[in-house]
Amino acid sequence: MEPENRPSQTQRLGAYAVVVRDDALLLTRISAIGYPAGWWALPGGGVDHGESPHDAVGRELYEETGLRVASQRLVDVHHVHVVEVGRGDMYEDYHGVHLLYAVEIEPGGEPRVTETDGTTDLARWVPLDELPPRAPDKAPGRLLPVVEHVLENLDHFFLAGGS
C-alpha cells in the first residue's frame, strides 16, 4: 500500500478501573460524542502526556463516576488493534493499550458523571447476571472488548488483596 493511501495510525494508552460490588460491575456508557456511542465501558480513559497511569485511573474514575479511589492495584494489560472505519467515519489503524486496575472505592455515594460534555453519559452498577449480550455486531448497548476481557478474567481482580 502506498504511504498516502495508508490509514492514519493512532495509538492510545488508557487506565481503567475494575470495580465490583455485591456481584455488580461499575460500568460507563459512551456518549454520542464518543466512539462507539452507546457501548458500555469500564470507568477510565486516556493517560495524559506526562501523567502517571496510577493518577490517571483515579482522575478518570472521578470524572466518569464521581467516585474516589480508596486503593488500587495494577492487575492486567489488554490491547485491541483494529484497521477499519472508526471515529469520524475515517479509515484508521487503531491500537489501544489498556492498563487494568483492581480498584476499591471510598465508601458512600452512588455513581454519577461529573465531567460535562465528555465521552461518558451514564455510570451505573450493572449486575453481573444482567450484562448485555456479547456479540460481534456494532449495535449500541454492547460491551467493549476490554470489558469482555475483564469478565473472562474477573477472578484475577480479587487475588492478593483486590476488591
Side-chain angles (χ1 to χ4, degrees), residues 79-150:
H79 82 105
V80 62
H81 180 220
V82 293
V83 180
E84 62 184 31
V85 174
R87 300 168 195 261
D89 293 328
M90 299 295 292
Y91 193 61
E92 71 176 337
D93 180 347
Y94 176 81
H95 184 220
V97 179
H98 314 121
L99 303 177
L100 302 172
Y101 288 82
V103 172
E104 290 185 21
I105 55 171
E106 292 181 353
E110 285 301 312
R112 62 182 172 72
V113 179
T114 63
E115 180 182 46
T116 58
D117 302 323
T119 57
T120 297
D121 66 5
L122 179 66
R124 72 180 193 99
W125 294 104
V126 179
L128 293 172
D129 60 0
E130 294 177 21
L131 287 166
R134 296 177 190 128
D137 68 12
K138 302 232 179 219
R142 301 293 184 204
L143 301 172
L144 286 179
V146 67
V147 180
E148 292 183 3
H149 173 80
V150 164

Side-chain angles (χ1 to χ4, degrees), residues 3 7-9 12 20 48 51 57 64 69-70 73 77-78 85 88-89 105 117 122 125 128-129 141-142 148 162:
S8 66
Q9 290 184 329
R12 183 169 184 261
V20 179
D48 292 338
E51 181 180 33
V57 73
E64 295 184 356
V69 171
R73 178 175 50 88
V77 178
H78 173 263
V85 174
D89 293 328
I105 55 171
D117 302 323
L122 179 66
W125 294 104
L128 293 172
D129 60 0
R142 301 293 184 204
E148 292 183 3

Side-chain angles (χ1 to χ4, degrees), residues 14-31:
Y16 297 87
V18 177
V19 188
V20 179
R21 178 183 82 178
D22 301 327
D23 293 325
L25 182 63
L26 183 61
L27 291 178
T28 58
R29 187 176 64 194
I30 300 172
S31 73

